Amino acid sequence: HSYYQRTGSDCLCLSYTSLRWYHFDLSRHAAEALLLSNGKDGSYLLRNSHEGPGSFALSVRAKDSVKHFHVTRKSSGYAFGFNEFASLQDFVSHFANQPLLGSETGTLIVLKCPYPWHVEEPSIYESVRVHTAMQTGRTESDLVANAPSFGTKEGYLVKLGAVVKNWKQRWFTLNRNELKYFKDKMFDEPIRTLDLTACSAVQFDYSKDRVNCFCLVFPERTFYLCAKSGVEADEWIKIIRWKLVSP
């Protein structure tokens, strides 16, 4: 268990034993898949951010979505939200006390359990009993790897009605390529589910007499939505735009 070091970039330079929930170069996509399939509400992990040396991301499962927060390494220590920690040990001790995390979307998350980098796996494998090809003539190029986009987001947005042109607050959830909106957060059945594969564009909108507005363009209708801040609107636009370009 010696110190883990990478050449060419900054790293946490910790022994494996002192921070078992640091997942190195795990991607955002993989972190979401891992926490949604194997974690539980309040599970979290730390990973390198794609934003470069000294940047890390804390990925936290909050119910059925995963939130990501910046952790930045500075000369004076580690910056996380409004807090700064002199050493990594202070940072880790902070997490041992199950902090309550409030995001810009108003979601409150208790960081309950770190998700370990190394997980014991059962040594159980199925035996191959049938091995035959169902088609012939196909090559390696026919093996197209494809997976749904895992980026998730949820929160309140104010939506413009289609028939009666009034604005109403609705609870929105984004999972895979489905954007659902509900009458409120406690309702199980959505009012409508929008298939983002049919969406042609998402962008800020300045045509309405409201701030922090953006629109989603579909063949049959353009949806107008407003967030409570410009940052929040930008987050929705970025993640939906990412969905539109993801396979």
Side-chain angles (χ1 to χ4, degrees), residues 57-75:
L58 183 77
S59 300
V60 189
R61 176 164 173 180
K63 298 197 174 84
D64 295 323
S65 66
V66 175
K67 314 287 184 192
H68 305 273
F69 300 90
H70 280 299
V71 180
T72 311
R73 185 157 188 193
K74 297 183 172 180
S75 56

Side-chain angles (χ1 to χ4, degrees), residues 6 29 38 81 85 114 127 144 157 159 163 171 182 184 200 206 226 238:
R6 295 198 330 245
H29 183 108
N38 298 335
F85 301 92
S127 300
V144 180
L157 292 169
K159 180 186 145 298
V163 183
W171 177 254
F182 303 77
D184 210 329
S200 59
Y206 304 101
C226 286
K238 277 179 180 165

Side-chain angles (χ1 to χ4, degrees), residues 15-26:
S15 66
Y16 294 117
T17 50
S18 59
L19 195 57
R20 291 177 177 165
W21 41 283
Y22 173 45
H23 286 242
F24 306 99
D25 287 322
L26 187 74

Side-chain angles (χ1 to χ4, degrees), residues 67-69 100-109 153-154 228 232 235:
K67 314 287 184 192
H68 305 273
F69 300 90
L100 185 69
L101 205 61
S103 72
E104 287 172 296
T105 56
T107 308
L108 285 175
I109 310 160
K153 188 167 174 58
E154 59 185 15
K228 59 186 173 189
E232 180 69 1
E235 275 186 17

Side-chain angles (χ1 to χ4, degrees), residues 61-97:
R61 176 164 173 180
K63 298 197 174 84
D64 295 323
S65 66
V66 175
K67 314 287 184 192
H68 305 273
F69 300 90
H70 280 299
V71 180
T72 311
R73 185 157 188 193
K74 297 183 172 180
S75 56
S76 54
Y78 295 88
F80 177 65
F82 295 112
N83 298 329
E84 199 159 304
F85 301 92
S87 71
L88 196 60
Q89 194 52 54
D90 292 346
F91 184 61
V92 174
S93 300
H94 178 69
F95 283 86
N97 292 300

